[in-house]
Structures are given as C-alpha cells and as structure tokens.
Amino acid sequence: MRWLSELLVIVLCCIFSVRHSNIAPVIEKVAEKNAAAQKEHQEPGEEELLAVTQAAAGHRLEDHVYVDMDHDGSRELIGVFAIDGYYQTWYCSSEGEVSRLVHQNEAVMDTCVIEILAFQDETHVVLNACSLIGTQKNYTILALQDNEISCLASNQYGYVRMTKEGDVILDVEAYDGMYTPDFGMSMHTWKDTYLYFDGETYREYGAEEITEEEFAGFTNAQALKEAIADELWQPDTEELEYSYFKRKNNILHIQCNVYSSSGTIQFGYYTVRFSGDVLQEQIGEYTAGIMAPSFSDWDVTY
C-alpha cells in the first residue's frame, strides 16, 4: 500500500504544477492591466496643472505654488499674474478639471509674493501684493475646505508670512521711527504683529500693555533692561523711556524710546519670548517704530 500512497503524492504534485503553470500567465496579465489602469487614472503633475491653468487664464503665470491645501494627498496649483498692474489669482484642482479665477486685486501693485501657511490639518496660500515704493501693500489668504476654494481674507493691508517657528506674522509699515524738531515724525519702519487661525477664521494676538511692576515680576527682566540700556545709550542721550506689551502667544515687546539733548526721539522696541514668568535671557530683535495693541482688522485676543 505504500507504493499507492507515493503514487498519489506524485499525481497531486503534477496536477498542482499544471494548474500553477496555467494560472501564472493569467495573474501576470491581470497585474499588467491593473498597472495600465492605474497609470491611466494617475493625477496630473505640476507641469500639467500649470498648462491647464495658463490655457484657462489665457495668460502666462508670473509665479505659482503646487501644494496640498486640504491635506488629502493630492496637490493643487495656485498662480498669479498681473494685467495693467492688477493681480489676478487662479486656482486649478488636483485632477485638473477645475481651473478658474478666484481673486482680483483692487489696487495696482508692482509685484506679488506667494507665501505658504502650513498648519496641521490644512495649508493656506497667501498672495502678498506690494508696491516697491511707499507703504502700499495688501494680502489675500486662500483655503481649500470641503473641496471648495475660498478667500479667508481679501485685499487686507499688510504682508503675511510664517516663520520657521510656526508663527504667523503680519508685517505693516509706517513712518514712526524717529521724531526731530525740524521734520516731525519720520523714518520708514516695518513692524510685526501675530495672527492665528482658529479653524474658521484668523484672529490677532493683541499686544496688551502691562505696568512696570508687572514687567519686573518676570525673571531676567532687570537684566534685559540693563542690556537694552547698554545698547541704546549714546553720549547725547538724556532719557530712556520704557513701556511693555505682552501677547497671549508668549511674546513680549519692550518699547524703549531714546530722548536726546537735540530734541530728537528715537522710537523702537525689542521682542522677546517668555515661558511662565521667565523671559529669555537675550534682548531679542530690535524693531524701529512704535508698538500698538493691534495692527490689523481681525478680532483681537488678549
């Protein structure tokens, strides 16, 4: 009976070998068909979306970004160009089926700089239109939510960007860096405020003025004042005037105005970070100009 069992094993092996040899070509053909179908339905890339957008706009884009705005794994294209100084912004969906004008700037500008605001759940695109002379500038913020492109901000004053630390900065300009008896207020300044996105809209972290006593309650406060005095005091300096502004995002500004014997007043402030009641040890970055509680049209959080 042993020979019968061995014969049965040999027969079964032969059957398996024949079946396997017949199925292999079928599996290979199915795999090739699936690969071809996947390639056929593959989303267009950056160059394809750029071509689609320029064809729809009838104009060559000056600049564009190719970015996944709603974090669904597919990238969209946002591009800009100007006609007679008026910048247009065009959007193209990731599959290239939708390409349309989404924003028109209301003022004549010299250039438009695109910035990216990358958050955990979505990415926004900022169009910063600027004049190369003077303080004229405005920004527009685009978001893609529920497959719809929309403007969270349109033609608002300033320039918006994101720092490497993840802070959303709004830059504004003024002429408030110096006062002289002969010319009054002068000196072109660039000042920052801080924005945040609450999931629906943007808001500003307001700069709330605090007292000298409140500032002195921070660790390193006196050391920072002394370091600032060492840096700003000049032979003709008569007085240093301090004021302090705290933001809810752990930013503190130390305004220090320098009064000289000639009647000139230099306005400027230092920006430092704090954690709890401890200020950073370095005096931070100096910015010319006068701090204020708010620099934007957004609702303010103190």
Side-chain angles (χ1 to χ4, degrees):
M1 295 297 292
R2 181 179 180 184
W3 66 269
L4 183 59
S5 300
E6 293 177 350
L7 178 61
L8 181 59
V9 172
I10 294 172
V11 171
L12 290 175
C13 289
C14 291
I15 293 173
F16 177 79
S17 178
V18 171
R19 286 184 175 178
H20 181 73
S21 62
N22 290 337
I23 292 175
V26 176
I27 295 176
E28 186 176 350
K29 288 182 180 179
V30 171
E32 291 176 354
K33 185 176 180 180
N34 289 340
Q38 184 178 1
K39 184 176 181 180
E40 181 180 351
H41 292 90
Q42 188 176 7
E43 292 179 350
E46 180 176 0
E47 293 303 320
E48 289 85 353
L49 293 188
L50 179 59
V52 169
T53 306
Q54 293 184 150
H59 203 284
R60 183 178 181 85
L61 300 183
E62 293 182 17
D63 194 13
H64 73 275
V65 290
Y66 179 58
V67 61
D68 183 1
M69 298 181 67
D70 56 359
H71 294 191
D72 66 348
S74 300
R75 296 184 181 186
E76 295 76 31
L77 187 139
I78 300 289
V80 297
F81 64 86
I83 297 180
D84 297 328
Y86 292 93
Y87 271 92
Q88 295 186 12
T89 303
W90 282 72
Y91 158 79
C92 188
S93 62
S94 57
E95 74 282 352
E97 295 180 0
V98 177
S99 184
R100 64 182 180 89
L101 175 69
V102 293
H103 186 263
Q104 171 78 56
N105 206 289
E106 296 176 348
V108 175
M109 296 290 184
D110 296 318
T111 187
C112 185
V113 180
I114 303 177
E115 298 277 2
I116 299 296
L117 307 180
F119 303 109
Q120 182 176 356
D121 298 324
E122 57 188 293
T123 294
H124 298 165
V125 177
V126 187
L127 299 317
N128 290 296
C130 310
S131 176
L132 298 180
I133 299 177
T135 62
Q136 188 178 24
K137 59 174 66 175
N138 63 45
Y139 67 92
T140 296
I141 303 178
L142 300 180
L144 183 63
Q145 300 168 331
D146 298 324
N147 294 321
E148 290 293 331
I149 190 77
S150 62
C151 293
L152 299 179
S154 177
N155 296 323
Q156 293 200 24
Y157 176 69
Y159 185 108
V160 171
R161 58 188 172 86
M162 178 174 276
T163 68
K164 61 181 181 180
E165 293 83 11
D167 295 316
V168 179
I169 301 294
L170 169 61
D171 298 322
V172 299
E173 297 182 45
Y175 287 91
D176 62 353
M178 183 172 293
Y179 169 84
T180 60
D182 293 335
F183 300 102
M185 293 296 289
S186 62
M187 185 185 291
H188 195 173
T189 59
W190 291 263
K191 301 181 290 184
D192 298 338
T193 188
Y194 294 77
L195 306 180
Y196 70 96
F197 181 64
D198 67 1
E200 295 182 1
T201 187
Y202 279 86
R203 300 180 184 276
E204 180 182 2
Y205 286 115
E208 180 181 14
E209 187 167 5
I210 62 175
T211 65
E212 181 75 37
E213 291 74 20
E214 289 173 311
F215 173 74
F218 283 95
T219 301
N220 297 324
Q222 186 58 36
L224 286 174
K225 283 190 66 174
E226 292 174 0
I228 290 171
D230 288 342
E231 183 166 288
L232 295 183
W233 191 275
Q234 301 295 323
D236 64 343
T237 298
E238 292 187 340
E239 179 188 359
L240 297 180
E241 179 187 55
Y242 291 93
S243 55
Y244 314 95
F245 299 83
K246 184 176 71 171
R247 299 185 190 268
K248 199 172 182 180
N249 61 333
N250 295 339
I251 295 290
L252 190 141
H253 305 289
I254 305 172
Q255 178 87 41
C256 185
N257 304 326
V258 182
Y259 290 75
S260 69
S261 58
S262 65
T264 298
I265 308 172
Q266 175 185 321
F267 299 96
Y269 58 89
Y270 291 86
T271 298
V272 298
R273 294 184 181 270
F274 65 90
S275 177
D277 61 354
V278 180
L279 293 166
Q280 69 181 52
E281 296 181 358
Q282 296 76 27
I283 60 175
E285 179 182 358
Y286 178 81
T287 302
I290 300 174
M291 177 51 59
S294 173
F295 288 137
S296 79
D297 295 327
W298 298 105
D299 289 339
V300 180
T301 300
Y302 291 105

